[in-house]
Amino acid sequence: MEISMHAQTFSLLFFLIFSTLASSKACHPADKEALLDFKHKITDDPSKLLHSWRVSSDCCTSWEGVACDASGRVVNVSRPGLVSDNDFIEDTYMSGTLSPYLGNLSSLQVLDLSNLKDLKGPIPEELGKLSKLTHLFLDTNKLTGSIPLTLRYFSQLEKMYLSDNFISGTVPPSVMKSWTHVSELGLSGNALSGPIPPTIGKVVMITKLDLHGNNFTGRIPTGFGNLKNLRYLDLSENQITGSIPQSIGGLAALELLYLNQNQLTGRIPSSISGLSSMIFCRISENKLSGSLPPSIGQLSKIQRLILENNKLTGKLPATIGHLTALTDIFFSNNHFTGKIPSSFGNLLNLQTLDLSRNRLSGQLPPQLAKLKSLQTLDLSYNPLGLARIPNWFQELRVFQLMVANTGIEGELPHWLSSSSISQLDLSGNALTGKLPRWIGNMTSLSFLNLSNNGFHSSIPVEFKNLSLLMDLDLHSNKFSGHLNVIFSKEVQDPLGHFNSIDLSYNMFTGPIDDDIGERPAMSSISSLVLSHNTLGGSLPKSIGKMRELRVLKLVNTGLSGMIPEELGDAKELSTILLSRNNLTGAIPEIVLNLKELKQFDVSSNRLRGRIPPHKAIIPASAFKNNPGLCGTPLPPCKHF
């Protein structure tokens, strides 16, 4: 967003400036000296951005990125590291420091050294002498130090971006107060601390303020209410405390408000109704409490409302049904109670409704069936006591349906067989019966979670038809039969290769097929959890061919035989849990020395021999109850 804005700014400025070049005088000696000193302090310029800056040539007519006025004074220096052209984007970098001599460019209006990635050191105090500067872009570098007090002399400044550096310290109130002409200010992604200066209320021309990703503390100044032109405000990812001030209701032009990931407390003020231009609002990841004010229903232009991960209470206001422009509601992980208002059925543009992890109860309003644009519905972890999934759900066209832990009982409803659901989470309910054969008709499924229910059957052969399925969680049921149907599932390259499988705590039987690691569906799996099933047999050597496997859990599965050395070929393995089996032989050294290994447990087996030397920190408990094992971290070996 900033790149395109920069490009538009400079194309206009360069047009105006270069149109006067025909009658311009030669470059002023003081300006040329200042620019040559800047070049001298650049230690690496791989794309030769400053190659044309030669002592023997004129800086006004021959130097790339430099523009002068008719009197030969430099007014624009622009050598950004990311340049967007009509055909391509050129990306480069420049190493070095900022020369204090840049402060001698007394007519300079635009300085753009953004996105050079490797400019270091402080912002020179001498830049404060640039009294005619209107645009300063030093963002996306490695600048350090504090914001110089001398920047208060930028009386003509309109736009300044210092984002994504390592600038620290406070923002001096006297500096902020002086920027009466600033329309855009970006200080995000630094290490700035202390309070936001209350003098921010004096910067009345500002339309965009981005302070996110710093260490700002203290309260949001009440003076923000004076910023009548403000359209974009991002204070997210700081450590701001206190409540949202009532004065925020004065920001009638505000379109985007991001206050997420702070430590805000108290209520959302009723004055929020004054934000009549609001389109995006994110106040998530705070400690806000109290009920939502009904006045929130006056935000007629709001499209995205993100309040998740707070401590909000009370009933959901029926007035939210007035917000017909809404496309996304994220209210999860709060303490909302009562019923979902039937007025939510008026939100015909709604694409995401996430009310998960609250305390909502009562019957679901059938009016929600009118939400034909809805793609994601998440009601999980609410004491809804649904008993059954309402039949009107089939009128929805959702791709993601999440109703985990909502009190659903009985068998899977047959209408699911003709749905186009991609992600289905019915975990933590009281579903029973068999996994129906028509599950194979749900060919759009990419994520299926039926864990923590009461299913009891084998996996029907039609399961193989789920050629897009990538994540499967059936743990803690009473499923039985062989696993081959799952592992030999069809794929639709490049989709449909498993990412994770959890079949633990069931009644599946084995053995695990020897060629499991060669099955197309298993080629890119990262997590395989089969613990607490009566599988028996040996650990297949082909598991070593699962080159992206990170987690392998086969606890209490009746495995016997040796741990194959080939397991060490799965180089990404970080977790290997093989405890409570009947494994024999020695622990292969290559397995115990996997570079990514963090968690390893082979306790309660029949392993023997010296534990191989290893770098991973593994407790003695991970090897206990193997009478034949010895060596660190167990007692020393006597016979090996």
Side-chain angles (χ1 to χ4, degrees):
M1 184 175 178
E2 290 175 13
I3 293 169
S4 61
M5 185 271 309
H6 289 185
Q8 291 170 5
T9 300
F10 299 130
S11 60
L12 176 62
L13 289 171
F14 267 94
F15 174 79
L16 294 173
I17 292 165
F18 282 120
S19 63
T20 63
L21 282 179
S23 59
S24 64
K25 296 181 179 180
C27 181
H28 194 283
D31 292 352
K32 187 171 186 177
E33 179 188 22
L35 293 176
L36 286 172
D37 191 77
F38 168 69
K39 180 179 179 180
H40 179 69
K41 287 182 168 53
I42 298 302
T43 56
D44 194 12
D45 181 14
S47 292
K48 299 183 178 179
L49 293 175
L50 305 180
H51 182 68
S52 61
W53 293 22
R54 298 188 181 94
V55 177
S56 59
S57 59
D58 181 65
C59 70
C60 287
T61 57
S62 302
W63 291 16
E64 291 182 2
V66 177
C68 302
D69 61 14
S71 65
R73 299 311 301 257
V74 172
V75 293
N76 189 317
V77 176
S78 298
R79 292 279 75 190
L82 191 63
V83 181
S84 178
D85 202 347
N86 289 332
D87 299 322
F88 64 94
I89 294 177
E90 182 182 1
D91 189 8
T92 184
Y93 73 93
M94 189 187 290
S95 300
T97 57
L98 293 175
S99 168
Y101 276 70
L102 289 171
N104 294 340
L105 301 172
S106 57
S107 295
L108 192 67
Q109 297 173 28
V110 176
L111 177 60
D112 181 10
L113 301 173
S114 64
N115 226 310
L116 291 167
K117 290 92 173 169
D118 207 31
L119 287 182
K120 300 178 180 177
I123 299 171
E125 292 185 358
E126 289 80 358
L127 291 191
K129 295 190 293 181
L130 303 176
S131 59
K132 296 182 179 179
L133 198 70
T134 60
H135 295 72
L136 176 62
F137 302 114
L138 300 176
D139 49 288
T140 318
N141 283 292
K142 296 179 180 176
L143 299 173
T144 54
S146 57
I147 296 175
L149 281 168
T150 54
L151 299 197
R152 66 180 182 272
Y153 300 122
F154 284 168
S155 58
Q156 303 301 314
L157 190 68
E158 296 175 11
K159 297 181 181 181
M160 182 169 78
Y161 285 87
L162 305 179
S163 309
D164 299 313
N165 281 286
F166 299 106
I167 300 168
S168 57
T170 61
V171 178
S174 61
V175 173
M176 183 73 79
K177 180 181 179 180
S178 66
W179 293 338
T180 53
H181 290 86
V182 167
S183 64
E184 295 184 12
L185 178 60
L187 302 177
S188 63
N190 282 290
L192 293 166
S193 57
I196 298 170
T199 51
I200 184 65
K202 304 290 185 182
V203 192
V204 293
M205 300 296 290
I206 199 162
T207 62
K208 179 176 181 180
L209 177 62
D210 188 353
L211 304 181
H212 88 267
N214 281 286
N215 298 312
F216 286 113
T217 55
R219 304 174 72 92
I220 298 173
T222 56
F224 266 107
N226 301 331
L227 308 181
K228 305 299 183 183
N229 296 303
L230 194 61
R231 295 200 302 267
Y232 180 110
L233 175 60
D234 191 346
L235 305 181
S236 64
E237 299 174 50
N238 281 287
Q239 299 174 39
I240 300 170
T241 54
S243 58
I244 300 172
Q246 285 279 351
S247 61
I248 202 168
L251 304 181
L254 196 67
E255 297 174 3
L256 296 98
L257 174 63
Y258 298 120
L259 302 177
N260 50 294
Q261 288 177 261
N262 279 289
Q263 299 177 36
L264 296 170
T265 54
R267 294 173 171 267
I268 294 175
S270 58
S271 63
I272 195 172
S273 59
L275 304 178
S276 55
S277 300
M278 181 84 74
I279 297 173
F280 301 116
C281 177
R282 184 172 183 179
I283 319 181
S284 53
E285 292 90 32
N286 279 288
K287 299 176 182 178
L288 295 169
S289 58
S291 57
L292 277 182
S295 60
I296 201 168
Q298 298 178 40
L299 304 179
S300 59
K301 296 182 180 179
I302 192 81
Q303 294 177 18
R304 303 192 81 208
L305 186 54
I306 306 175
L307 306 177
E308 60 193 5
N309 298 311
N310 277 289
K311 298 179 179 180
L312 297 168
T313 58
K315 295 183 177 181
L316 296 173
T319 54
I320 291 177
H322 298 156
L323 306 179
T324 53
L326 268 174
T327 61
D328 298 278
I329 290 178
F330 291 93
F331 286 1
S332 68
N333 202 26
N334 278 286
H335 304 310
F336 290 121
T337 54
K339 293 183 178 182
I340 298 171
S342 59
S343 61
F344 275 37
N346 299 330
L347 307 177
L348 300 183
N349 291 303
L350 201 63
Q351 297 174 21
T352 302
L353 177 57
D354 186 353
L355 303 176
S356 62
R357 299 180 187 278
N358 279 286
R359 298 172 184 174
L360 299 170
S361 59
Q363 186 178 2
L364 295 181
Q367 289 84 352
L368 295 183
K370 296 189 294 182
L371 304 182
K372 304 303 183 185
S373 298
L374 198 64
Q375 297 178 14
T376 298
L377 176 61
D378 193 347
L379 304 176
S380 299
Y381 299 98
N382 280 289
L384 291 169
L386 289 183
R388 293 188 180 276
I389 301 177
N391 280 332
W392 55 260
F393 269 37
Q394 62 189 303
E395 299 177 35
L396 299 172
R397 301 166 188 167
V398 293
F399 296 113
Q400 300 181 38
L401 178 58
M402 312 294 191
V403 281
N405 223 301
T406 53
I408 301 171
E409 302 171 354
E411 299 184 351
L412 288 177
H414 192 276
W415 60 260
L416 284 172
S417 65
S418 57
S419 72
S420 56
I421 292 173
S422 173
Q423 298 188 31
L424 179 62
D425 187 352
L426 296 169
S427 61
N429 284 295
L431 289 164
T432 57
K434 297 180 178 181
L435 190 63
R437 292 186 179 277
W438 54 252
I439 193 76
N441 296 339
M442 298 184 69
T443 51
S444 297
L445 277 178
S446 64
F447 174 98
L448 177 62
N449 189 348
L450 301 177
S451 65
N452 281 298
N453 277 288
F455 288 107
H456 56 85
S457 70
S458 58
I459 306 297
V461 67
E462 289 81 1
F463 186 90
K464 290 185 177 183
N465 297 337
L466 304 183
S467 55
L468 295 178
L469 189 64
M470 293 183 289
D471 292 280
L472 176 65
D473 191 348
L474 303 180
H475 85 264
S476 302
N477 278 282
K478 298 177 182 178
F479 284 114
S480 58
H482 203 274
L483 302 174
N484 187 50
V485 175
I486 295 173
F487 299 148
S488 58
K489 181 188 72 68
E490 296 171 2
V491 299
Q492 283 188 37
D493 278 322
L495 304 174
H497 299 268
F498 277 121
N499 175 59
S500 65
I501 295 176
D502 189 347
L503 307 177
S504 60
Y505 292 97
N506 277 287
M507 299 162 61
F508 287 115
T509 53
I512 303 171
D513 297 298
D514 288 339
D515 63 346
I516 182 176
E518 298 167 2
R519 304 286 177 87
M522 306 296 288
S523 62
S524 59
I525 192 164
S526 64
S527 178
L528 179 60
V529 182
L530 306 177
S531 299
H532 304 284
N533 285 285
T534 53
L535 302 179
S538 59
L539 193 60
K541 295 178 181 179
S542 66
I543 289 180
K545 296 182 179 180
M546 299 177 181
R547 299 303 162 84
E548 297 182 34
L549 189 64
R550 291 176 172 80
V551 176
L552 178 64
K553 298 183 180 181
L554 289 162
V555 176
N556 190 26
T557 54
L559 287 174
S560 59
M562 302 178 70
I563 300 173
E565 289 194 0
E566 289 82 356
L567 191 59
D569 295 333
K571 303 294 185 185
E572 298 298 316
L573 271 171
S574 61
T575 297
I576 301 175
L577 303 183
L578 303 173
S579 60
R580 297 173 62 187
N581 284 294
N582 298 308
L583 296 170
T584 56
I587 300 173
E589 184 172 355
I590 188 174
V591 173
L592 205 53
N593 281 281
L594 284 162
K595 287 186 178 180
E596 302 299 323
L597 194 63
K598 302 289 189 299
Q599 192 177 9
F600 182 82
D601 192 342
V602 290
S603 61
S604 300
N605 277 283
R606 300 177 183 177
L607 299 169
R608 298 183 59 81
R610 184 190 300 275
I611 298 172
H614 51 278
K615 295 181 180 179
I617 301 173
I618 302 171
S621 59
F623 301 101
K624 70 179 182 180
N625 296 331
N626 285 280
L629 281 183
C630 57
T632 308
L634 296 180
C637 297
K638 297 179 180 179
H639 305 294
F640 295 95

